[in-house]
PDB file of all heavy atoms in Angstrom:
ATOM      1  N   GLY A 148      93.262-209.448 243.613  1.00 94.00           N
ATOM      2  CA  GLY A 148      92.918-210.699 244.283  1.00 94.00           C
ATOM      3  C   GLY A 148      91.544-210.695 244.933  1.00 94.00           C
ATOM      4  O   GLY A 148      91.267-211.508 245.803  1.00 94.00           O
ATOM      5  N   LEU A 149      90.675-209.777 244.495  1.00 96.00           N
ATOM      6  CA  LEU A 149      89.368-209.644 245.129  1.00 96.00           C
ATOM      7  C   LEU A 149      88.261-210.421 244.436  1.00 96.00           C
ATOM      8  O   LEU A 149      87.192-210.617 245.017  1.00 96.00           O
ATOM      9  CB  LEU A 149      88.983-208.167 245.222  1.00 96.00           C
ATOM     10  CG  LEU A 149      89.904-207.336 246.108  1.00 96.00           C
ATOM     11  CD1 LEU A 149      89.586-205.859 245.979  1.00 96.00           C
ATOM     12  CD2 LEU A 149      89.798-207.787 247.555  1.00 96.00           C
ATOM     13  N   VAL A 150      88.468-210.830 243.185  1.00 97.00           N
ATOM     14  CA  VAL A 150      87.479-211.644 242.483  1.00 97.00           C
ATOM     15  C   VAL A 150      88.158-212.838 241.829  1.00 97.00           C
ATOM     16  O   VAL A 150      89.339-212.791 241.484  1.00 97.00           O
ATOM     17  CB  VAL A 150      86.675-210.852 241.417  1.00 97.00           C
ATOM     18  CG1 VAL A 150      85.841-209.757 242.034  1.00 97.00           C
ATOM     19  CG2 VAL A 150      87.570-210.314 240.329  1.00 97.00           C
ATOM     20  N   ASP A 151      87.391-213.885 241.688  1.00 95.00           N
ATOM     21  CA  ASP A 151      87.813-215.084 240.973  1.00 95.00           C
ATOM     22  C   ASP A 151      86.898-215.219 239.760  1.00 95.00           C
ATOM     23  O   ASP A 151      85.767-214.712 239.771  1.00 95.00           O
ATOM     24  CB  ASP A 151      87.663-216.324 241.856  1.00 95.00           C
ATOM     25  CG  ASP A 151      88.530-216.255 243.102  1.00 95.00           C
ATOM     26  OD1 ASP A 151      89.703-215.848 242.980  1.00 95.00           O
ATOM     27  OD2 ASP A 151      88.026-216.595 244.188  1.00 95.00           O
ATOM     28  N   SER A 152      87.380-215.897 238.733  1.00 94.00           N
ATOM     29  CA  SER A 152      86.559-216.076 237.545  1.00 94.00           C
ATOM     30  C   SER A 152      86.656-217.508 237.050  1.00 94.00           C
ATOM     31  O   SER A 152      87.592-218.231 237.371  1.00 94.00           O
ATOM     32  CB  SER A 152      87.006-215.111 236.437  1.00 94.00           C
ATOM     33  OG  SER A 152      88.338-215.392 236.048  1.00 94.00           O
ATOM     34  N   ARG A 153      85.644-217.887 236.271  1.00 94.00           N
ATOM     35  CA  ARG A 153      85.662-219.185 235.598  1.00 94.00           C
ATOM     36  C   ARG A 153      84.966-219.008 234.257  1.00 94.00           C
ATOM     37  O   ARG A 153      84.039-218.207 234.127  1.00 94.00           O
ATOM     38  CB  ARG A 153      85.003-220.269 236.431  1.00 94.00           C
ATOM     39  CG  ARG A 153      83.518-220.177 236.537  1.00 94.00           C
ATOM     40  CD  ARG A 153      82.883-221.392 237.224  1.00 94.00           C
ATOM     41  NE  ARG A 153      81.457-221.151 237.351  1.00 94.00           N
ATOM     42  CZ  ARG A 153      80.561-221.417 236.408  1.00 94.00           C
ATOM     43  NH1 ARG A 153      80.938-221.967 235.264  1.00 94.00           N
ATOM     44  NH2 ARG A 153      79.290-221.146 236.585  1.00 94.00           N
ATOM     45  N   ARG A 154      85.450-219.732 233.289  1.00 93.00           N
ATOM     46  CA  ARG A 154      84.892-219.660 231.941  1.00 93.00           C
ATOM     47  C   ARG A 154      83.878-220.780 231.756  1.00 93.00           C
ATOM     48  O   ARG A 154      84.102-221.915 232.158  1.00 93.00           O
ATOM     49  CB  ARG A 154      86.002-219.783 230.909  1.00 93.00           C
ATOM     50  CG  ARG A 154      85.505-219.662 229.469  1.00 93.00           C
ATOM     51  CD  ARG A 154      86.640-219.670 228.480  1.00 93.00           C
ATOM     52  NE  ARG A 154      87.465-218.479 228.572  1.00 93.00           N
ATOM     53  CZ  ARG A 154      87.196-217.304 227.994  1.00 93.00           C
ATOM     54  NH1 ARG A 154      86.092-217.164 227.303  1.00 93.00           N
ATOM     55  NH2 ARG A 154      88.018-216.291 228.113  1.00 93.00           N
ATOM     56  N   GLU A 155      82.754-220.419 231.147  1.00 92.00           N
ATOM     57  CA  GLU A 155      81.724-221.398 230.784  1.00 92.00           C
ATOM     58  C   GLU A 155      81.346-221.108 229.334  1.00 92.00           C
ATOM     59  O   GLU A 155      80.583-220.180 229.070  1.00 92.00           O
ATOM     60  CB  GLU A 155      80.515-221.259 231.704  1.00 92.00           C
ATOM     61  CG  GLU A 155      79.443-222.315 231.478  1.00 92.00           C
ATOM     62  CD  GLU A 155      78.302-222.160 232.467  1.00 92.00           C
ATOM     63  OE1 GLU A 155      78.504-222.507 233.650  1.00 92.00           O
ATOM     64  OE2 GLU A 155      77.242-221.679 232.043  1.00 92.00           O
ATOM     65  N   GLY A 156      81.946-221.853 228.406  1.00 92.00           N
ATOM     66  CA  GLY A 156      81.740-221.573 226.982  1.00 92.00           C
ATOM     67  C   GLY A 156      82.384-220.239 226.636  1.00 92.00           C
ATOM     68  O   GLY A 156      83.563-220.028 226.872  1.00 92.00           O
TER      69      GLY A 156
END
Side-chain angles (χ1 to χ4, degrees):
L149 296 171
V150 296
D151 298 317
S152 63
R153 72 172 176 86
R154 182 175 292 277
E155 185 177 286

